[in-house]
Amino acid sequence: MQYNYSPGRLRFRDPILRDGDIRKAAVEVVKKICSIAEISYRESTSSILVLYPEDAVSPEALKPLLPCLLKLEPKLRFYTPRKKEEILDQIREIGLAVERIKK
């Protein structure tokens, strides 16, 4: 997965995002991180663009998510349809981690 970040803007791109269930799960996690974010999906590039107020999300506060993301990355990189449920479970785990951080 390719990530492009600058304060107030995040784009992630990967063919796996063409899968509606995986894309929906990823967007739900982003909404948990910043409920006021503007989120759009572009099919032609299989990318999600997230625009949010710079002061709404502290990158420092999200550091605890790195272990979860690192665990997910190899599953995304070597995706096969058989791994779909594993990936969805991992995305749900990230969502739970976000909820713990926000408390």
Side-chain angles (χ1 to χ4, degrees), residues 6-92:
S6 60
R9 177 185 167 97
L10 172 66
R11 179 182 299 275
F12 44 108
R13 175 184 327 226
D14 194 282
I16 198 169
L17 293 172
R18 288 193 171 111
D19 181 296
D21 296 331
I22 292 173
R23 181 176 60 248
K24 181 181 174 192
V27 167
E28 287 175 6
V29 171
V30 171
K31 287 180 181 178
K32 286 181 182 182
I33 293 170
C34 184
S35 62
I36 59 173
E38 294 178 36
I39 303 168
S40 60
Y41 171 69
R42 177 172 271 176
E43 179 72 30
S44 63
T45 59
S46 63
S47 67
I48 294 174
L49 174 64
V50 182
L51 300 173
Y52 59 93
E54 287 181 40
D55 60 348
V57 179
S58 164
E60 198 65 32
L62 299 177
K63 280 188 178 181
L65 297 179
L66 285 176
C68 296
L69 294 169
L70 291 173
K71 187 176 173 184
L72 177 61
E73 182 68 30
K75 293 173 186 166
L76 297 176
R77 190 176 319 132
F78 302 108
Y79 175 74
T80 63
R82 288 189 349 234
K83 292 183 182 179
K84 181 176 177 174
E85 285 307 313
E86 274 183 75
I87 290 169
L88 289 171
D89 288 343
Q90 188 64 42
I91 293 171
R92 284 184 208 100

